[in-house]
Amino acid sequence: MRVLLIEDDMSVADFVASELALKGHNCECASSGTEGLLAANSARWDALIVDRMLPKLDGLSVVKSLRDKGDLTPVLILSALGEVDDRVKGLQIGADDYLVKPFSSEELLARLEAIHRRLAPLGADFRTTLEAQGLRLDLISQEVRREGRVISLQPREYRLLEYLMRHAGKIVTRSMLLENVWGYHFDPQTNVIDVHISRLRQKIDRDFDYPLVHTVRGAGYRFGDE
Amino acid sequence: MNSSLLRSWLQTLGLQLVSGLGIALAAMGITLFAVFALVSYTNLHSSLQADVVGRTQFLTEVYYSHGIERLTQIVGRQGFSDDSGRVLYFLEVQGSEADALAPTFAYRDSGAGLVPFVLSNLSSEEQLQRKMFAETKVLDGGVVLTVGRFFQDELDAINYLIGNVALVIAVFWLGAMLTTAIATHRALMGAHRIGTELRAIMQHNLEGRLHPDTASPYVRELVEVGNEMLEYVSISLQGVRSVSDNIAHDLRTPLTRLRNKLTQLKPRVPREHQGTIDELLSDCDDLLASFNALLRISMLEAGSQIRTDAKQVSLRVVIQDVVEMYEPVAHNSGVLLDFQAEYVEQIPGETDLLGQMFANILDNAIKFTPSGGVIGIRLERSGVEKLRVVIADTGIGIPEADRQQVFRRFYRGEPSRGEHKGHGLGLSLVQAIAFYHRATVELQDNHPGLRVVVNFPVSLPKRT
């Protein structure tokens, strides 16, 4: 993946670049809004990571001017601001996701891959079943079978499994699950998501030889093998 | 204080002003009138007296210098009225042939002064009762001279004048009252308009300003001062925001670095020390969570409240989601969640914040309710303009003395220390989110346990 990072804090930029490089991505950096906008316009990128507070031209303005020109490159906004409407403002302007500092490298990578896949070939969206490692999820009848055996799931468990399977082999973080499966963005004080995952595991993993839902320490969960 | 209350208060003030002025003006008018009347009557009295005394004097001199015949010539014997018809003379000569003449008039002698003086015409049945100012003087030789002076005409004239003066004063008073009432009404309506506009600015948009279009210079001054104040509030608010933003930027960025460096360090340290790095990362996350919550509380408390035209949110759906989210957690602790909701209006709200609020309340309730307990969650209407969310547990509760304390930042009740995880900001955040939604949070005894009651206003005061 070719990623353009627009970030004025050199330490954060260095961290992001080295983490992306570790995963085999190619990352270039711009340290101001105008420089970033220029770089974004002059080449094709798979994704942009844009800090909100930038010298010369702020991050939101960069995203807005890209979107106004019809540039649909996935954008992840980084921000030190956590105010109520900040996230909404960022998403309204056309960003695909919003991450508040500080973030873990896993969270950043997981979200970056998620927004990148969103623009992947449309064929994926016409699937009527999801299938991986013997687990089959019928998107129309909402029936779940593992090795031919029907598993009965609650609606929320079904959506949790669907989200994990759509991102099979990739890490999904707890806050990604909260945002996408429940539709909320806040800090649940207890590890609510873990409890739901363990319920799901009880149903799809307990009676089988090998588990499908893996815990990734310090990051989140992954469906199936990497 | 709502708008109708403000209005009635202003009207009362106006009424007080007008009635106060009215009483003062009326007292002034009555005094003026009384003085005028007193002076008029006194003048009449002394002029009448001077007239009567002068005539008596003159006739007495005639009698002593020219004798009774000349006097009789002038005044006639029994009664004589001069040409003006205002003066009447009576002359009696005691012990003479007076009896031979039939008296044509009889009068009652009441001495000198302004007296009711009954004059009867004896030759006819008609009784003439006219007031008269009279003086009787006994002269040498048994002659009794009486000079009477009618004054009804002058009195009528003075009464007429006084009446007109009273009328003028009354008309003046009414005019003054009307003008004052109109002026006061205008001024107070100006104040009322400012109140209404300020309320709208407070509720909808702090960047709004008062309209300067008003005739009254006082109201205009008030508008100017009000706008200056709003400007000041805006600037301070921006100040608070930018300070918070800067803190956010300045503190979170190094924390990000710290966390990042720890993450990168982890694979490079020997395996036996990696656990320590995990602990450090976890501490870092706790610190950040506290810091985020604190920042969020400050921002919610410093900022303006939610706009009344914000997106409508169903409390029922939000609570249902949170209950569903926490159900497995409660189940694991052996606690039952019992959710019942009426269908009620939506309210202007921020879904994520409301979710956070109910999550915090429910999280606490589950933490402090022992296995086998029940947590009741109710959404119901309370009164015409309020919705109430009640979250009642059967746990350990909070002693009454501590109930206000628990909203303080970083306060943690005695039983929660050590035993349970948490940064002591949960309820502070609940209160800040409630404030943002113009809601109130109350803690009550559930006998046993705790009842958290959140009251939401439904229809906010409309613009008038």
Side-chain angles (χ1 to χ4, degrees), chain B residues 269-306:
Chain B
V269 300
R271 190 161 283 278
E272 64 264 33
H273 292 310
Q274 288 191 354
T276 316
I277 301 266
D278 281 337
E279 278 169 30
L280 288 175
L281 280 172
S282 160
D283 284 350
C284 221
D285 288 341
D286 286 348
L287 194 64
L288 281 158
S290 289
F291 179 71
N292 285 343
L294 199 59
L295 195 63
R296 181 156 265 209
I297 291 167
S298 303
M299 283 180 163
L300 287 171
E301 284 177 351
S304 54
Q305 290 173 309
I306 191 163

Side-chain angles (χ1 to χ4, degrees), chain A residues 210-225:
Chain A
Y210 57 93
L212 290 175
V213 180
H214 304 277
T215 302
V216 183
R217 212 177 140 74
Y221 298 98
R222 192 188 64 238
F223 184 87
D225 301 324

Side-chain angles (χ1 to χ4, degrees), chain A residues 103-108 171-174 194 215-221, chain B residues 259 263 266 278 281-282 285:
Chain A
F103 47 85
S104 60
S105 58
E106 292 86 355
E107 186 83 45
L108 175 73
I171 295 169
V172 291
T173 65
R174 290 179 179 82
D194 297 356
T215 302
V216 183
R217 212 177 140 74
Y221 298 98
Chain B
R259 203 191 182 284
T263 315
K266 193 180 157 192
D278 281 337
L281 280 172
S282 160
D285 288 341

Side-chain angles (χ1 to χ4, degrees), chain A residues 66-107:
Chain A
L66 284 176
R67 291 292 183 252
D68 284 350
K69 279 193 310 184
D71 187 333
L72 293 176
T73 312
V75 173
L76 174 69
I77 290 192
L78 295 183
S79 168
L81 305 171
E83 218 186 332
V84 187
D85 53 351
D86 258 24
R87 202 184 128 75
V88 179
K89 223 184 281 170
L91 297 180
Q92 269 172 354
I93 231 156
D96 298 86
D97 206 349
Y98 193 99
L99 193 53
V100 177
K101 290 178 192 175
F103 47 85
S104 60
S105 58
E106 292 86 355
E107 186 83 45

Side-chain angles (χ1 to χ4, degrees), chain A residues 93-158:
Chain A
I93 231 156
D96 298 86
D97 206 349
Y98 193 99
L99 193 53
V100 177
K101 290 178 192 175
F103 47 85
S104 60
S105 58
E106 292 86 355
E107 186 83 45
L108 175 73
L109 286 164
R111 282 174 187 267
L112 202 58
E113 292 199 3
I115 63 168
H116 177 53
R117 266 199 309 278
R118 231 170 265 166
L119 279 197
L122 284 169
D125 293 333
F126 291 118
R127 285 183 291 176
T128 56
T129 54
L130 300 173
E131 196 161 4
Q133 302 186 7
L135 185 73
R136 195 183 141 89
L137 198 139
D138 189 324
L139 292 171
I140 293 165
S141 66
Q142 307 212 330
E143 191 188 61
V144 182
R145 282 172 186 271
R146 185 171 180 189
E147 289 160 17
R149 248 189 286 170
V150 175
I151 297 167
S152 137
L153 294 178
Q154 298 290 318
R156 192 72 68 181
E157 291 162 349
Y158 173 83

